[in-house]
Amino acid sequence: QGLPPPFLRDALQAVFVCLQATAQSSRGMSSTAPAPTEPYGRAQYCRWPCECPRAPPRCAAGVSLVTDGCACCKACAKQRGESCTEADTCDFHRGLYCDYSRDRPRYEIGVCAQIVGVGCVLNGVRYKNGETFQPNCKYNCTCINGAVGCVPMCTNSRPPLVWCPNPKLIKMAGKCCEQWICDDSRKIRKTSPRHISSAAYEGEDEAWQKNCIVHTSPWSPCSKTCGLGISTRISNDNQQCRLLKESRLCNMRPCEVDITQHIKPGKKCLAVYRANEPMNYTISGCVSKIPYRPKYCGVCTDNRCCTPYKSKTIEVRFQCPDGTEFSWKIMWINACFCNLNCRNPNDIFADLAHYYDYSEIAN
């Protein structure tokens, strides 16, 4: 047969070299290809069926109480810069969202960030979206995408109920927040009615005593919602005209009695509860010398709470096992009323319309 011509041998050799290079390139690519990634586990933050506490949490002022991301329970919304998950949602009332960009590729734990939005103008001053500011000493406000939401700094922004027929809001010297007084055109008596706190009259209910203006503050709320607690006040009604702290025992309602069982059918509240049998007060093993049948504030099955509005202070004599005796002042409840003032709204936009001095936000 003989050998092929020289030009044919060169052509075959070039084809062989080309095929060999292609095969080597294919082997090299297959050897450097990345190995398949291992699937990562993503934490499960929601559990069904839902298991929620009996009472919702109490959130700080200005922090929204929202339904969690699992659509299960009420929770305090996460604020700017705090961690968030599918369960822990950010405060959308403040224009926040959960930014997962730093947690790639899991996208499991994020950070609450501000949604880009328009700013606000209040009283000629422009504020950025998400900015918190105080236009005056009475309000702490936040700009949310063109809307302004404010939290009142003055907690006594509503007039007293029932016990004050003619409430009046007045400005007190040296104080930012205005105070409610009972506007009584008649001459104020030296001693106000037992069920009206002295603070209701503020500067009007003052008596002169040897170049001393006598002033007594109202009794503080009872330290316990049930069982024996302490209530205090400040008074200078003494010979030295010195401000002294006075204390008295108080018992809003018994802890061991289920008052809801005494609510009449069709009703949601029982304003006043009174036991059938008299009882003795007991302090550290010492028992009152005579029995009493006190009244207590009742309870409601809705969102209302019952608080005393008519009360007085009595002095009870106690006798101890060792024979010694002592006296204690005790709050004696005459009447209670049930109201919604115990509510603590967490939505900073919810109650603005109910504040009588809302127009002063922009002043």
Side-chain angles (χ1 to χ4, degrees):
Q1 293 289 333
L3 294 174
F7 70 88
L8 185 58
R9 290 200 307 269
D10 295 339
L12 292 173
Q13 187 175 4
V15 171
F16 177 78
V17 171
C18 183
L19 292 174
Q20 190 177 23
T22 302
Q24 290 178 352
S25 176
S26 299
R27 288 195 300 271
M29 290 178 61
S30 63
S31 63
T32 58
T37 57
E38 291 290 333
Y40 55 84
R42 198 165 185 271
Q44 185 79 19
Y45 290 96
C46 292
R47 295 287 187 272
W48 291 279
C50 302
E51 294 183 2
C52 304
R54 291 184 177 179
R58 295 180 64 87
C59 305
V63 177
S64 300
L65 183 66
V66 299
T67 303
D68 61 20
C70 308
C72 280
C73 311
K74 291 293 185 180
C76 297
K78 296 297 182 180
Q79 300 302 299
R80 188 172 183 175
E82 294 182 341
S83 298
C84 50
T85 63
E86 62 179 356
D88 296 326
T89 56
C90 300
D91 199 338
F92 57 87
H93 285 134
R94 290 183 172 271
L96 302 178
Y97 75 101
C98 195
D99 181 8
Y100 293 99
S101 60
R102 296 184 181 179
D103 193 26
R104 296 175 181 171
R106 294 185 309 167
Y107 299 104
E108 179 183 320
I109 301 176
V111 177
C112 290
Q114 194 74 48
I115 297 174
V116 178
V118 298
C120 309
V121 177
L122 182 64
N123 199 26
V125 181
R126 180 172 293 277
Y127 301 95
K128 298 178 181 178
N129 180 46
E131 183 177 356
T132 298
F133 58 94
Q134 269 193 264
N136 53 47
C137 61
K138 294 183 180 180
Y139 294 93
N140 189 36
C141 303
T142 303
C143 170
I144 304 296
N145 198 23
V148 176
C150 298
V151 176
M153 307 299 288
C154 300
T155 56
N156 188 26
S157 57
R158 290 176 179 172
L161 305 176
V162 181
W163 62 83
C164 186
N166 299 308
K168 183 180 179 182
L169 195 61
I170 65 169
K171 175 68 177 176
M172 303 295 293
K175 294 184 179 180
C176 170
C177 301
E178 294 176 334
Q179 304 289 320
W180 286 102
I181 66 165
C182 283
D183 186 15
D184 194 345
S185 58
R186 296 172 298 174
K187 184 178 180 181
I188 303 301
R189 292 177 291 173
K190 180 176 180 180
T191 304
S192 60
R194 288 172 175 172
H195 67 279
I196 300 178
S197 72
S198 301
Y201 294 98
E202 289 296 337
E204 297 180 358
D205 188 25
E206 294 175 343
W208 286 91
Q209 175 184 307
K210 296 181 181 179
N211 297 326
C212 169
I213 299 179
V214 177
H215 176 75
T216 301
S217 71
W219 288 102
S220 67
C222 192
S223 61
K224 293 185 177 181
T225 56
C226 73
L228 211 57
I230 294 289
S231 179
T232 60
R233 72 178 181 182
I234 302 295
S235 176
N236 64 347
D237 191 4
N238 52 66
Q239 292 295 329
Q240 295 78 26
C241 193
R242 292 177 55 191
L243 282 173
L244 300 175
K245 185 168 75 170
E246 300 177 0
S247 301
R248 70 176 181 180
L249 297 174
C250 50
N251 193 339
M252 296 289 291
R253 57 187 59 84
C255 297
E256 65 279 1
V257 178
D258 184 8
I259 302 179
T260 57
Q261 295 181 355
H262 300 276
I263 299 177
K264 294 181 179 179
K267 300 292 184 179
K268 294 184 178 180
C269 288
L270 178 66
V272 176
Y273 167 75
R274 197 173 195 178
N276 295 326
E277 300 295 330
M279 47 79 71
N280 289 79
Y281 289 105
T282 302
I283 304 177
S284 301
C286 303
V287 182
S288 62
K289 298 188 71 172
I290 60 175
Y292 296 86
R293 189 166 170 252
K295 291 180 180 178
Y296 303 99
C297 287
V299 295
C300 296
T301 57
D302 52 14
N303 291 328
R304 287 178 289 174
C305 61
C306 300
T307 53
Y309 79 92
K310 285 185 180 181
S311 66
K312 62 182 180 180
T313 302
I314 64 172
E315 192 161 313
V316 177
R317 192 74 180 171
F318 290 86
Q319 186 169 19
C320 300
D322 60 359
T324 58
E325 295 185 3
F326 65 91
S327 295
W328 253 104
K329 292 180 179 180
I330 293 183
M331 174 187 183
W332 185 267
I333 297 174
N334 289 324
C336 304
F337 76 105
C338 303
N339 61 96
L340 284 171
N341 281 356
C342 53
R343 226 166 28 93
N344 183 24
N346 296 291
D347 186 347
I348 65 176
F349 297 97
D351 279 2
L352 280 179
H354 300 292
Y355 290 103
Y356 294 84
D357 46 0
Y358 169 60
S359 59
E360 296 186 3
I361 295 176
N363 294 336

